[in-house]
Amino acid sequence: MINKIQSIYQTSIEKVDIMSGLAPLLIRLIVAPVMIIAGYNKLNLGKADAGFFESLMADENVVAWFGNPDWGLGLPFPDFLAFLAGWTEFLGGWLILLGLLTRLVSIPLMVTMFIAATQVHWHNGWFSVAPANPDTSAAQVFAWLGSETAQQSLENSLEVSERLERIKSIVSSHGFPEYLYEKGNIVILNNGIEFAAIYFVMFLSLFFTGGGRFFSVDYWIAKRLSTKT
């Protein structure tokens, strides 16, 4: 009986495996546009008055942010690092979208996300948007396990909720709530490492799986090369 169940299970897995490229495809479709637009905005590509070579360089505001120690990252060689970050995200994003050189390009993108998490977002904690309800915060799970940091996060949620209520009260009395809330509710941006960490894990997954079966250029290149040997 156990052997029969195991056989049915194995047969089912083998049949499902034909669509194993679907998950990498969806990951690529989610993360690639984020990287493309992030890189695009770090470069001068969108400046109509920029010359050819100037358009390939990093935006001066991004360079200033990379290099300034007071209100920026305070990194050395800001021109080079901003240029490198911009093209890693922009070109890397397009390659990820196509599923071309997926494993290779995932490496510098992981490095970029790691640097973003540790140098830009780390001191803000985990959440990108501060939870306003401790009962629905993911930190609750770790608080159950005894994490003091998670407990502090839940207490912070109460303070966030209080501030949001005050903002809504001010808007209700002096603003235009119907207009301001028409496109969605207001939130408090925490700017934590959440998105950078999620993107890092996505690239880590693509590093191990590649672009995926059927839905990537890598797959068809490898298939063509294998038929020639």
Side-chain angles (χ1 to χ4, degrees):
M1 182 65 178
I2 294 178
N3 290 336
K4 185 176 181 180
I5 294 175
Q6 184 177 3
S7 177
I8 293 173
Y9 173 78
Q10 187 62 38
T11 302
S12 300
I13 291 297
E14 290 174 356
K15 290 182 178 180
V16 171
D17 190 59
I18 194 172
M19 294 301 293
S20 61
L22 185 59
L25 171 66
L26 294 177
I27 290 175
R28 285 163 38 218
L29 290 176
I30 291 171
V31 74
V34 176
M35 294 298 108
I36 291 170
I37 200 63
Y40 181 83
N41 286 320
K42 287 184 176 67
L43 303 169
N44 288 323
L45 294 173
K47 289 188 176 181
D49 58 342
F52 175 73
F53 289 105
E54 183 185 355
S55 68
L56 302 179
M57 298 295 106
D59 181 271
E60 59 182 11
N61 295 317
V62 176
V63 172
W65 179 62
F66 267 58
N68 194 290
D70 297 323
W71 48 265
L73 301 180
L75 298 175
F77 314 111
D79 295 83
F80 174 72
L81 291 179
F83 171 85
L84 195 63
W87 278 106
T88 297
E89 293 173 345
F90 184 71
L91 182 58
W94 282 111
L95 291 173
I96 289 291
L97 187 63
L98 294 171
L100 177 61
L101 304 176
T102 307
R103 285 188 168 93
L104 181 62
V105 77
S106 292
I107 297 173
L109 287 169
M110 278 192 287
V111 172
T112 301
M113 292 302 100
F114 178 81
I115 293 174
T118 55
Q119 298 298 316
V120 182
H121 305 285
W122 187 265
H123 65 283
N124 295 322
W126 171 260
F127 293 106
S128 291
V129 174
N133 185 350
D135 293 333
T136 59
S137 172
Q140 184 70 72
V141 176
F142 296 99
W144 289 339
L145 298 175
S147 170
E148 292 184 6
T149 302
Q151 186 60 46
Q152 292 172 2
S153 177
L154 297 179
E155 294 172 1
N156 183 65
S157 293
L158 294 174
E159 296 183 13
V160 168
S161 178
E162 179 184 345
R163 284 162 172 76
L164 282 174
E165 288 303 318
R166 292 190 179 187
I167 293 172
K168 291 178 181 179
S169 176
I170 294 171
V171 171
S172 178
S173 301
H174 306 286
F176 303 91
E178 295 83 4
Y179 169 74
L180 293 176
Y181 301 150
E182 183 182 5
K183 301 300 182 180
N185 210 345
I186 58 172
V187 298
I188 292 181
L189 183 66
N190 191 59
N191 205 26
I193 70 170
E194 184 176 10
F195 287 155
I198 290 173
Y199 298 148
F200 178 90
V201 172
M202 285 180 166
F203 291 128
L204 183 63
S205 177
L206 291 174
F207 174 76
F208 287 113
T209 65
R213 192 176 189 181
F214 297 133
F215 302 112
S216 68
V217 176
D218 287 337
Y219 171 79
W220 293 107
I221 292 176
K223 188 175 179 65
R224 184 174 181 82
L225 292 175
S226 65
T227 57
K228 290 184 177 181
T229 57

